[in-house]
Amino acid sequence: MNASTSSTPVLAVRDLAISLPRGGDRPHAVEKISFDVPPGKIVCLLGESGSGKSVIANAVMGLLPSGLTPTAGSIKLQGKELVGAPQNEFRDLRGPSMAMVFQEPMTALNPVMTCGDQIDEMLVQHVQMGAAERRQKILAIMARVKLPEPERIYASYPHQLSGGQRQRIVIAIALILRPVLLICDEPTTALDVTTQAEILKLILELQTENGTAVLFITHDFGVVAEIADEVVVLQLGHMIEKGDKHEVLTRPREPYTKMLLDAVPELASQARAPVADAEPLLDAKNICKTYTTGSWPGKRRTVNAVRDVSLKVRPRETVGIVGESGSGKSTVARCIARLIDPTSGDIHASGKSVGHLKGRGLSPYRRDVQVIFQDPYRSLNPRQTVGDSIIEGPLNFGVSRDQAWKEAEDLMHLVRLKPEALRRYPSEFSGGQRQRISIARALACKPKLIIADEAVSALDVSVQAQILKLLDEIQRATHIGILFITHDLRVASQICDRVIVMHQGQIVEQGAVSDVFFQPKQDYTRRLLAAAPGRDFAFHRS
């Protein structure tokens, strides 16, 4: 059957119900879910974490974990019933008929196999073809997904590629057999705006070229505005609303959809109180970081990750750093936090030089500067209770356990969690709650400066809005400074007083948000702004 000419849906989901294990927070992961994915169309599943989006995708692919069981309804791929199908049938369908692009390519790819061999696995499994012919087909799909130097990348390992290149490899694996259904589960969440724009354009091109039906899962409304034909809104496993993209995003019927749309950050200069011209909490001067790779003299290569970066952060001020992956944002943050040593330059904190301190000499500075990382689940010890993680820092700085625990209880109120949460483990919390815990842990040492490294990029828009509001309230109450690193320009415009744009390790432009984002002087800044998905879409606002 040719997907592009068939009038019947490629994927038809009817009254689907999938049960959760006994003792879960609700009986069903999803219940009474019905929608179609027509040939040549993109249907987006929207909703907060826990709404059941990925459960539906995994059910279609036959990848549900043990404990999750379809108890009612139907999933049909080109008329073939998938509910109750044995795993050998799913294995035959994965690749030739349906394929999936996952959120994090580094976990989807095998780190000890070359990229070419990983694409070749799909061909070996499903087609009768000689090795030379398979290699040519792989090089052709690599070129089609716009990977540079296909021969080199064929022999490269995943860790040798950028995030955007790794995601292109995953897309190549998914599309090499031209499946009729492509499922994309948050494929652009961790990518910067320019790489994200390239991946979305690529998916659109391939979908149009092959007449592929696409089921796209995302929490980024800009992405939805950019690529969706139809939208299905989910909440706690129930379908709240569905329809044409423009209908749902501009004229939503349901309060939940309106709440989600109200939480979508706008690219706008916020009216924030002016920051006093006080003594800087942080004054980084001419920071450089150089790496040398290779051990043989003839093969040594010098990489200038950061070149001559200077910045200041004052009390009650939020300074943003934006730019593409590889621009040096996080390297600057690590140098400032002294997690790595800068090659040259100096860092002054509260008027004192700390750029060349080592060991115990850094102890006071480490108390004053705390970091909130992107993934709170990886930054919290899964074997420690939340309380033990929060009080660990104060205990290291000489605070008594009783006092540290009392302050941790106060911090729970500050980040809007109950003190009883201190006795639970990170796995018992949602992503947004874990990020609140990470904020409490950073505040436990009573820092003067917080470095937030992509602290909200993986969160739903509603949770993201809550965390941004929380950081703003904490800053007003404590007068801390915040160095905010993000690839989301909308988020930067919401929370930052000043913004720094980086490209290839250097600062290309900096200034007030109103100047940099709305009157940019540099071509690179203009390109970055133009790449933001859905920038000009008129979302519903209450």
Side-chain angles (χ1 to χ4, degrees):
M1 182 187 298
N2 189 322
S4 62
T5 59
S6 172
S7 59
T8 58
V10 171
L11 179 70
V13 178
R14 295 287 179 272
D15 298 317
L16 180 65
I18 298 173
S19 65
L20 285 169
R22 188 173 298 176
D25 60 348
R26 59 182 192 261
H28 292 89
V30 294
E31 191 174 13
K32 296 180 180 177
I33 303 296
S34 298
F35 64 88
D36 292 335
V37 185
K41 298 291 184 181
I42 298 179
V43 175
C44 279
L45 297 184
L46 274 175
E48 297 172 287
S49 294
S51 63
K53 306 184 300 293
S54 293
V55 170
I56 294 170
N58 287 328
V60 174
M61 293 292 295
L63 297 175
L64 283 175
S66 59
L68 295 184
T69 310
T71 54
S74 167
I75 302 172
K76 289 185 177 179
L77 179 69
Q78 292 186 308
K80 181 179 178 61
E81 181 60 62
L82 300 182
V83 171
Q87 275 300 311
N88 64 318
E89 286 189 20
F90 276 111
R91 280 193 288 271
D92 291 338
L93 291 171
R94 293 184 203 122
S97 297
M98 60 181 180
M100 193 163 177
V101 178
F102 296 93
Q103 176 176 350
E104 178 45 68
M106 200 59 184
T107 57
L109 294 171
N110 188 330
V112 298
M113 287 179 67
T114 66
C115 295
D117 285 344
Q118 296 194 52
I119 301 175
D120 193 36
E121 269 192 322
M122 185 69 80
L123 296 176
V124 170
Q125 183 71 28
H126 293 285
V127 297
Q128 295 293 323
M129 193 180 289
E133 191 179 354
R134 293 200 311 270
R135 181 181 178 88
Q136 288 307 309
K137 193 173 180 68
I138 293 166
L139 294 174
I141 191 70
M142 283 183 168
R144 185 66 193 87
V145 298
K146 297 182 172 61
L147 281 164
E149 304 175 77
E151 290 278 2
R152 176 182 64 81
I153 289 183
Y154 185 102
S156 297
Y157 291 89
H159 72 273
Q160 296 175 303
L161 307 182
S162 69
Q165 288 173 337
R166 286 195 291 265
Q167 196 62 290
R168 290 169 193 269
I169 292 293
V170 174
I171 292 171
I173 293 171
L175 292 178
I176 193 163
L177 294 177
R178 299 169 69 95
V180 293
L181 176 67
L182 179 66
I183 300 176
C184 299
D185 190 358
E186 302 275 13
T188 62
T189 296
L191 304 178
D192 56 69
V193 287
T194 50
T195 307
Q196 185 181 63
E198 291 170 1
I199 295 296
L200 293 177
K201 183 182 177 184
L202 173 64
I203 291 171
L204 277 170
E205 287 177 359
L206 296 170
Q207 173 254 342
T208 303
E209 177 184 298
N210 299 331
T212 309
V214 179
L215 182 63
F216 200 101
I217 296 168
T218 183
H219 64 251
D220 189 326
F221 278 75
V223 170
V224 177
E226 199 76 27
I227 68 164
D229 294 301
E230 297 176 15
V231 174
V232 178
V233 182
L234 303 173
Q235 181 189 23
L236 295 176
H238 294 277
M239 191 168 67
I240 301 300
E241 189 166 356
K242 69 177 178 179
D244 174 77
K245 169 182 71 178
H246 293 280
E247 186 71 26
V248 174
L249 298 187
T250 63
R251 294 182 295 277
R253 299 185 304 273
E254 300 299 324
Y256 177 74
T257 311
K258 293 175 182 177
M259 181 276 292
L260 287 179
L261 289 164
D262 285 340
V264 176
E266 295 181 86
L267 188 64
S269 181
Q270 302 299 306
R272 293 169 60 89
V275 176
D277 191 18
E279 178 78 14
L281 296 170
L282 172 79
D283 186 1
K285 299 179 178 178
N286 307 114
I287 298 297
C288 296
K289 181 61 181 178
T290 301
Y291 294 99
T292 301
T293 61
S295 56
W296 290 95
K299 292 189 176 182
R300 282 184 184 167
R301 180 167 165 254
T302 299
V303 178
N304 296 310
V306 173
R307 290 180 284 176
D308 203 30
V309 169
S310 299
L311 61 89
K312 295 180 181 180
V313 183
R314 293 181 170 83
R316 212 165 48 81
E317 182 181 40
T318 300
V319 176
I321 305 180
V322 300
E324 298 171 285
S325 296
S327 62
K329 307 186 300 292
S330 293
T331 303
V332 168
R334 292 189 189 104
C335 286
I336 288 172
R338 291 306 313 277
L339 298 177
I340 58 176
D341 294 328
T343 304
S344 62
D346 202 1
I347 301 165
H348 287 77
S350 301
K352 298 179 181 178
S353 173
V354 297
H356 303 290
L357 296 178
K358 302 279 186 183
R360 291 181 179 273
L362 274 172
S363 184
Y365 180 69
R366 294 202 186 283
R367 185 169 191 170
D368 287 345
V369 178
Q370 292 288 306
V371 183
I372 303 169
F373 296 98
Q374 177 175 352
D375 186 347
Y377 195 67
R378 290 172 62 186
S379 62
L380 294 169
N381 188 335
R383 297 185 178 182
Q384 274 189 328
T385 64
V386 163
D388 285 337
S389 288
I390 291 174
I391 68 172
E392 186 175 16
L395 291 179
N396 289 338
F397 291 114
V399 178
S400 70
R401 186 176 182 85
D402 288 345
Q403 179 65 22
W405 192 267
K406 182 180 182 305
E407 291 176 357
E409 291 179 333
D410 294 338
L411 285 170
M412 284 292 100
H413 290 297
L414 185 63
V415 298
R416 293 181 177 74
L417 290 173
K418 294 180 180 179
E420 300 86 78
L422 292 170
R423 302 190 184 279
R424 294 162 60 190
Y425 289 86
S427 60
E428 300 177 62
F429 296 91
S430 70
Q433 289 172 326
R434 286 197 290 263
Q435 199 60 290
R436 291 170 186 270
I437 291 163
S438 294
I439 292 171
R441 184 179 64 172
L443 292 171
C445 292
K446 300 178 182 176
K448 297 176 182 177
L449 176 76
I450 282 181
I451 299 173
D453 190 358
E454 299 282 9
V456 298
S457 66
L459 303 178
D460 305 317
V461 288
S462 54
V463 179
Q464 191 179 77
Q466 294 166 13
I467 296 296
L468 293 177
K469 183 180 179 184
L470 176 62
L471 285 172
D472 184 57
E473 290 173 355
I474 289 171
Q475 187 177 50
R476 292 174 190 273
T478 63
H479 289 196
I480 59 171
I482 299 176
L483 185 62
F484 195 89
I485 295 158
T486 183
H487 64 252
D488 192 325
L489 305 184
R490 291 187 185 86
V491 168
S493 74
Q494 293 287 312
I495 194 172
C496 297
D497 300 291
R498 292 188 298 111
V499 67
I500 294 168
V501 181
M502 289 191 66
H503 180 51
Q504 295 181 345
Q506 294 179 297
I507 294 175
V508 296
E509 189 163 357
Q510 62 179 311
V513 169
S514 56
D515 294 332
V516 174
F517 284 172
F518 297 95
Q519 296 176 328
K521 296 182 174 65
Q522 302 298 320
D523 288 340
Y524 176 74
T525 309
R526 295 188 192 102
R527 292 199 303 273
L528 207 61
L529 290 162
R535 180 186 177 188
D536 300 320
F537 193 89
F539 292 105
H540 165 87
R541 302 288 178 186
S542 296

